[in-house]
Amino acid sequence: QVQLQESGPGLVKPSETLSLTCTVSGGSVRSYYWNWLRQTPGKGLEWIAYIYYSGSTNYNPSLKSRVTISVDTSKNQFSLNLTSVTAADTAVYYCATSRNSYGSLFLDFWGQGTLVTVSS
Amino acid sequence: DIQMTQSPSSLSASVGDRVTMTCRASQNIRSSLNWYQQKPGKAPKLLIYAVSSLQSGVPSRFSGGGSGTDFTLTISSLQPEDFATYYCQQSYSTPQTFGQGTKVEIK
């Protein structure tokens, strides 16, 4: 069974870059899609982006100008960079895998989530 | 963006009750509809994908249905561990979007 673990700073200053890494165990990043999502009490669950192991990416248009997602197959990890953060980017960030079956892309394994607070 | 609207936003039910919640998409999303369960402080857990396919390990009391724009999640006999918040998600078009959730509480 695939397991995912997010890591990165829990506190980021406004205007700086939020960087998170997701380490995958029990499976290889050389398959499936690898996602970042976030959750806030106000906006709920928000999908940020995914990357396929080949490097192809798909971004939420509302965040696309500030987001970069990448995969490191040698370390079995994938990463998120979100630039120019503001308090509105304060959220619990999740990494998750997704697969496609019967015409639906679904998120079948999730990390435990990591709270990132944007504050000076 | 496709808007996903869940109803009700919360419901109270007793153990053993049959519970049904709905999810409406702002446009036709074909079969690209998934359901998740989330408990406080935990990540969402996949229950149903592609409208009605049960994820491995999920009890058969959970079932999904619907088509096009209107979808349902039914719990046939509510168990104590089912008290949680349930979210629908569409993956038909970018960005993938979620409903605001239905919270199932103990009556």
Side-chain angles (χ1 to χ4, degrees), chain B residues 25-59:
Chain B
S26 60
Q27 66 185 71
N28 189 339
I29 59 171
R30 302 187 188 278
S31 62
S32 300
L33 190 282
N34 311 307
W35 289 96
Y36 302 85
Q37 175 194 67
Q38 187 176 34
K39 296 181 179 179
K42 301 292 188 182
K45 171 189 172 184
L46 178 67
L47 298 176
I48 302 278
Y49 62 93
V51 178
S52 58
S53 295
L54 196 66
Q55 171 67 347
S56 176
V58 174

Side-chain angles (χ1 to χ4, degrees), chain B:
Chain B
D1 297 5
I2 296 177
Q3 305 303 315
M4 306 299 291
T5 303
Q6 292 185 241
S7 61
S9 55
S10 66
L11 63 91
S12 295
S14 301
V15 172
D17 284 353
R18 181 182 180 87
V19 169
T20 296
M21 61 195 77
T22 65
C23 176
R24 175 164 289 176
S26 60
Q27 66 185 71
N28 189 339
I29 59 171
R30 302 187 188 278
S31 62
S32 300
L33 190 282
N34 311 307
W35 289 96
Y36 302 85
Q37 175 194 67
Q38 187 176 34
K39 296 181 179 179
K42 301 292 188 182
K45 171 189 172 184
L46 178 67
L47 298 176
I48 302 278
Y49 62 93
V51 178
S52 58
S53 295
L54 196 66
Q55 171 67 347
S56 176
V58 174
S60 59
R61 62 181 179 272
F62 291 93
S63 63
S67 63
T69 60
D70 294 307
F71 303 91
T72 59
L73 175 67
T74 298
I75 309 171
S76 60
S77 177
L78 199 65
Q79 298 302 300
E81 60 269 29
D82 300 336
F83 292 97
T85 301
Y86 294 84
Y87 295 96
C88 61
Q89 175 227 4
Q90 68 80 20
S91 58
Y92 181 73
S93 71
T94 296
Q96 301 174 38
T97 50
F98 292 81
Q100 81 283 9
T102 292
K103 187 175 184 178
V104 177
E105 299 174 304
I106 301 172
K107 195 170 189 177

Side-chain angles (χ1 to χ4, degrees), chain A residues 7-56:
Chain A
S7 59
L11 181 64
V12 181
K13 289 183 168 56
S15 79
E16 294 191 345
T17 297
L18 180 161
S19 296
L20 295 173
T21 296
C22 184
T23 300
V24 179
S25 57
S28 171
V29 293
R30 293 181 183 273
S31 58
Y32 308 136
Y33 297 84
W34 304 95
N35 296 258
W36 287 100
L37 304 97
R38 65 186 184 181
Q39 186 173 29
T40 61
K43 289 191 70 176
L45 282 161
E46 183 178 28
W47 173 79
I48 300 171
Y50 72 61
I51 187 166
Y52 194 53
Y53 77 95
S54 62
S56 65

